Amino acid sequence: MEYLWVIPFSPLIAFIIIGLFGYKLLREPLAGIVAVIGVGIAAIASIIGFIDVATTGNYYDLKLYTWLPLGDYKVSVSLFWDPLSALMTCVVTCVSTFIFIFATGYMKGDPSYPRFFAYLSLFVFMMLMLTLGDNLIQLFFGWEGVGLASYLLIGFWHYKKSAADASFESFIVNRVGDWLFLLGVLLAFVTFGTLDYLDLFNKLPEAGYWTVTAIALLLFGGAVGKSAQIPLHIWLPNAMEGPTPVSALIHAATMVAAGVYMVARVMPVFAASDLALDVVLFVGTISAFLAATMGLVQNDIKRIIAYSTLSQLGYMFAAEGLGLFGEGMFHLASHAVFKALLFLCAGSVLIALHHLLDVQKMGQIGKYMPITTGAFLVGALSLAGIPPFSGFFSKDPIIEGAYEINWVVWVFLWLGAGLTAFYIFRLFFLAFFDGDRLDPHIRKHVHESPPQMTIPLIVLATGAVLLGFFKEFFANFLRPSLDPMSMTFLNEKTKILVEEGLSRSHHVHIHENAWEFLVHSLTSPLGLLTLFTALGGIFVAYIMYQVKIINPAWLTQMFKPIYLTLWNKWFFDLIYYAIFVYGYYKVSRFLWKAGDKIIIDGIVHGSGKTAIFSGNVMKLSQTGRISAYVLQMAIGMLVFLSLFIFLT
């Protein structure tokens, strides 16, 4: 497995080549070809490594070199290869490969074509360093790296104020989460004297409950920011200002998945604290539901899909909070495929419609773009959780597990499933089938995208259809990394501690075999309720936006307070603006007036005026007459002698 270094460094080499020679030698399309080759090599190496782990059951911890000496502890740049990192790495590289191929067509003609692919390659390299590290420092390096790359890509069209503002917002909001994450890393080092995963896990029984809880919650604070969970979610919808392949990369394969992966990677830390698991469960559940409600009223095609990402990430965190880490990671892999598919379909539509974003101004795209329409339908059905698409096999087990562990969580996740089906098919009917509202000048130029853009859609659509049937394989594959009794690198005390922490999930029985789960869902009341809820959401969207039995405008007026609440995204943005933007401005202005102008300027100007006044007073005594000076000396000596006599 010595070739594992190829996985992260082939995108890095592509980044260096494009960065050095992109504008002088490569330009378009060579820069895109170099980037595709770099990520493609990484994908091939990842698949080979994935097969090796699946067949041998071995894991590898390759220390490349010592990076930072911290006293007796030395931080290494490492490649940790176990089932969990192998799955995540394959998801990142394989999905990114198809996004890169799509992007070569999407970005055609852009004057900054080489810069775009340099940033994309850097993004993938940083994500791979995050997933392959065997310690929290390397994970933090990749964590910050994907934040930097996302800032560069979201603001790629920096001459647009909206794009520049969105990139700045994402950078600032993520700094809040990253500050918490860094505090967690420092607390872990102070507590355990190490940041290597395996050593840290085996020292968990030595630490107190509240210390472990604090470490877990601080690390999760970073995940809330990076994976855009409430209350640090506001940056992700605005990140749609970047090119659509960037949106696909952020939402499907890289940045937002980092938080879910991190929680799974350090699962023993979270399992050692039931309070930490409860916080993960609460945040994930609320995010899943509220984000789904926000998506109901959006009209921007990319923002609708973006809110679905917020919601689905909530399902993943809810699964981890329930102790169902395997189900959460399988939903991450499934979601990466169909979410990349949805975003790339949206990109195909935007190219055809000259970057028109408002679904209310679209319509009947289906007859002009059959491949894009079919691929989007597959992605929508998968997102809605309709069998036999992958989203059904990955999301419904989480909802079923919630029912057996916490019925309140189940209610929110169940309602979220129905809302998700509604808003994604609202988009589908409005954009692809409803009455033709396209501008005539745009309509006459609408056509299907070229093969370099449609082939990735076909491949990803195929994955969204077939991936769910490998549910049992992935469950068995991840067990050595997520089942404490199968984690051979844990000592007995840690195994017992983690096993007790995951006791909430012990009584949950979810069929691992895809066919058994399908039969169970179609025959059990709970499974049928979830399925009919999703189908009901699709049906309501159909009668509202296709056959138009119900008028959406009438509903808007009937429930105007609710509509305005959802349209204003539960007022999170307004509250944050009032506190952190306008409030900060008012406080700064007060400090400028009271502190800077009155106090600081007062001291500076006052000292100058005092010196001038003192000089004016003192100069009265400087007459130039010797007799006056003798008189002053005499008076001074008289005063001195008088004081001396009086005091003695």
Side-chain angles (χ1 to χ4, degrees):
M1 295 295 292
E2 292 79 7
Y3 63 85
L4 282 178
W5 65 270
V6 172
I7 298 174
F9 290 111
S10 57
L12 176 63
I13 293 170
F15 163 71
I16 294 172
I17 292 173
I18 299 170
L20 292 176
F21 308 109
Y23 283 95
K24 291 187 177 295
L25 299 177
L26 299 177
R27 299 192 65 81
E28 182 183 341
L30 293 178
I33 294 173
V34 171
V36 170
I37 291 173
V39 73
I41 292 173
I44 293 171
S46 300
I47 294 170
I48 295 173
F50 184 93
I51 294 172
D52 179 81
V53 171
T55 53
T56 65
N58 297 327
Y59 76 89
Y60 305 89
D61 190 5
L62 304 180
K63 308 282 188 182
L64 298 183
Y65 62 91
T66 299
W67 180 18
L68 295 172
L70 299 175
D72 295 333
Y73 172 65
K74 295 183 178 5
V75 180
S76 298
V77 174
S78 307
L79 301 177
F80 186 68
W81 195 253
D82 73 331
L84 181 59
S85 61
L87 172 64
M88 191 67 190
T89 301
C90 279
V91 169
V92 171
T93 55
C94 293
V95 174
S96 296
T97 298
F98 294 110
I99 294 174
F100 276 47
I101 294 171
F102 181 92
T104 59
Y106 187 90
M107 298 301 294
K108 185 177 181 180
D110 192 287
S112 299
Y113 186 92
R115 178 166 62 92
F116 179 79
F117 281 98
Y119 289 168
L120 279 189
S121 299
L122 176 65
F123 204 167
V124 173
F125 164 71
M126 289 298 183
M127 187 65 190
L128 292 174
M129 292 301 290
L130 185 156
T131 61
L132 291 172
D134 71 346
N135 60 81
L136 286 172
I137 289 291
Q138 185 173 330
L139 187 147
F140 185 68
F141 168 77
W143 194 268
E144 292 300 295
V146 295
L148 170 63
S150 68
Y151 168 77
L152 296 172
L153 285 165
I154 294 168
F156 178 75
W157 290 318
H158 52 81
Y159 46 83
K160 293 169 54 181
K161 186 179 185 303
S162 57
D165 290 346
S167 64
F168 183 74
E169 181 185 37
S170 72
F171 195 81
I172 294 300
V173 173
N174 273 281
R175 296 291 69 72
V176 177
D178 294 353
W179 174 69
L180 295 173
F181 186 88
L182 182 58
L183 288 179
V185 172
L186 294 175
L187 181 58
F189 182 70
V190 170
T191 303
F192 301 108
T194 181
L195 294 173
D196 288 356
Y197 297 141
L198 305 189
D199 294 338
L200 190 151
F201 296 161
N202 287 315
K203 290 182 178 181
L204 280 174
E206 303 172 9
Y209 173 82
W210 291 108
T211 301
V212 175
T213 299
I215 293 171
L217 291 178
L218 288 170
L219 294 178
F220 183 63
V224 170
K226 197 67 67 181
S227 294
Q229 295 294 280
I230 289 172
L232 299 180
H233 65 287
I234 59 171
W235 67 270
L236 191 57
N238 295 331
M240 298 303 98
E241 291 293 337
T244 304
V246 174
S247 303
L249 200 62
I250 291 176
H251 286 249
T254 53
M255 186 168 172
V256 296
V260 179
Y261 171 76
M262 183 276 295
V263 173
R265 179 77 282 171
V266 297
M267 179 270 289
V269 177
F270 283 86
S273 169
D274 53 355
L275 176 59
L277 285 179
D278 287 338
V279 171
V280 175
L281 176 60
F282 171 77
V283 172
T285 302
I286 296 301
S287 298
F289 178 74
L290 291 187
T293 62
M294 295 178 201
L296 294 174
V297 298
Q298 297 297 313
N299 291 322
D300 185 311
I301 185 172
K302 291 173 64 176
R303 288 175 187 266
I304 295 172
I305 304 174
Y307 279 110
S308 78
T309 299
L310 297 183
S311 183
Q312 297 309 303
L313 289 167
Y315 280 90
M316 298 173 207
F317 280 116
E320 293 178 327
L322 293 168
L324 305 173
F325 284 87
E327 281 70 18
M329 285 304 299
F330 182 55
H331 191 45
L332 183 151
S334 169
H335 174 264
V337 174
F338 66 73
K339 186 51 58 68
L341 174 63
L342 289 172
F343 266 114
L344 295 188
C345 287
S348 179
V349 169
L350 295 183
I351 288 293
L353 303 185
H354 305 289
H355 295 279
L356 175 67
L357 292 167
D358 191 345
V359 294
Q360 299 285 359
K361 298 179 181 179
M362 300 180 188
Q364 295 189 3
I365 299 174
K367 67 182 181 181
Y368 304 110
M369 308 178 70
I371 297 177
T372 299
T373 303
F376 191 95
L377 177 60
V378 171
L381 289 169
S382 189
L383 174 62
I386 305 300
F389 301 94
S390 63
F392 165 77
F393 293 105
S394 62
K395 184 171 69 174
D396 279 36
I398 298 173
I399 299 174
E400 182 174 328
Y403 180 80
E404 298 186 35
I405 297 174
N406 188 317
W407 69 269
V408 176
V409 171
W410 170 79
V411 169
F412 282 103
L413 298 184
W414 167 66
L415 290 173
L419 297 176
T420 299
F422 171 79
Y423 67 67
I424 195 61
F425 274 89
R426 169 181 176 265
L427 186 164
F428 181 70
F429 291 130
L430 280 174
F432 292 94
F433 285 101
D434 193 25
D436 197 347
R437 298 176 301 278
L438 281 175
D439 184 283
H441 298 290
I442 296 178
R443 183 171 58 244
K444 67 181 181 181
H445 296 294
V446 177
H447 58 82
E448 187 59 87
S449 298
Q452 68 195 104
M453 296 173 68
T454 55
I455 289 175
L457 301 184
I458 295 170
V459 174
L460 290 171
T462 304
V465 173
L466 299 178
L467 187 62
F469 293 100
F470 293 89
K471 183 176 184 296
E472 184 175 12
F473 167 79
F474 280 105
N476 294 327
F477 179 78
L478 289 173
R479 190 165 285 117
S481 292
L482 298 177
D483 180 8
M485 303 314 293
S486 301
M487 299 168 74
T488 57
F489 46 80
L490 295 183
N491 59 36
E492 289 304 317
K493 288 185 178 179
T494 302
K495 284 185 178 180
I496 294 172
L497 180 66
V498 175
E499 186 72 8
E500 290 176 353
L502 299 180
S503 59
R504 63 180 66 189
S505 64
H506 287 173
H507 65 280
V508 176
H509 176 68
I510 298 174
H511 295 278
E512 293 181 349
N513 182 273
W515 294 107
E516 292 178 359
F517 182 76
L518 178 60
V519 172
H520 166 75
S521 298
L522 296 179
T523 55
S524 69
L526 179 62
L528 288 173
L529 177 61
T530 305
L531 177 59
F532 282 125
T533 301
L535 292 174
I538 297 173
F539 178 72
V540 173
Y542 176 76
I543 63 176
M544 287 180 64
Y545 297 100
Q546 190 63 35
V547 298
K548 301 183 179 179
I549 296 176
I550 301 176
N551 187 351
W554 174 79
L555 281 178
T556 300
Q557 290 300 319
M558 283 290 295
F559 302 98
K560 194 168 185 177
I562 297 176
Y563 173 80
L564 291 176
T565 300
L566 301 183
W567 177 256
N568 287 290
K569 295 163 279 190
W570 291 90
F571 302 104
F572 278 102
D573 291 56
L574 296 177
I575 293 171
Y576 289 169
Y577 179 84
I579 296 174
F580 299 111
V581 179
Y582 184 73
Y584 179 78
Y585 168 77
K586 297 296 288 185
V587 170
S588 300
R589 187 171 178 82
F590 169 78
L591 293 176
W592 167 62
K593 284 187 174 182
D596 196 39
K597 295 195 72 174
I598 296 177
I599 298 176
I600 297 176
D601 288 354
I603 292 173
V604 174
H605 296 158
S607 61
K609 291 178 179 179
T610 301
I612 293 172
F613 175 77
S614 301
N616 290 331
V617 172
M618 295 297 294
K619 76 179 182 180
L620 297 176
S621 65
Q622 306 302 313
T623 63
R625 297 177 181 176
I626 295 177
S627 58
Y629 296 155
V630 171
L631 178 62
Q632 292 173 13
M633 291 175 63
I635 294 173
M637 292 180 66
L638 180 63
V639 171
F640 174 77
L641 290 173
S642 300
L643 289 173
F644 179 78
I645 294 170
F646 177 76
L647 292 174
T648 56

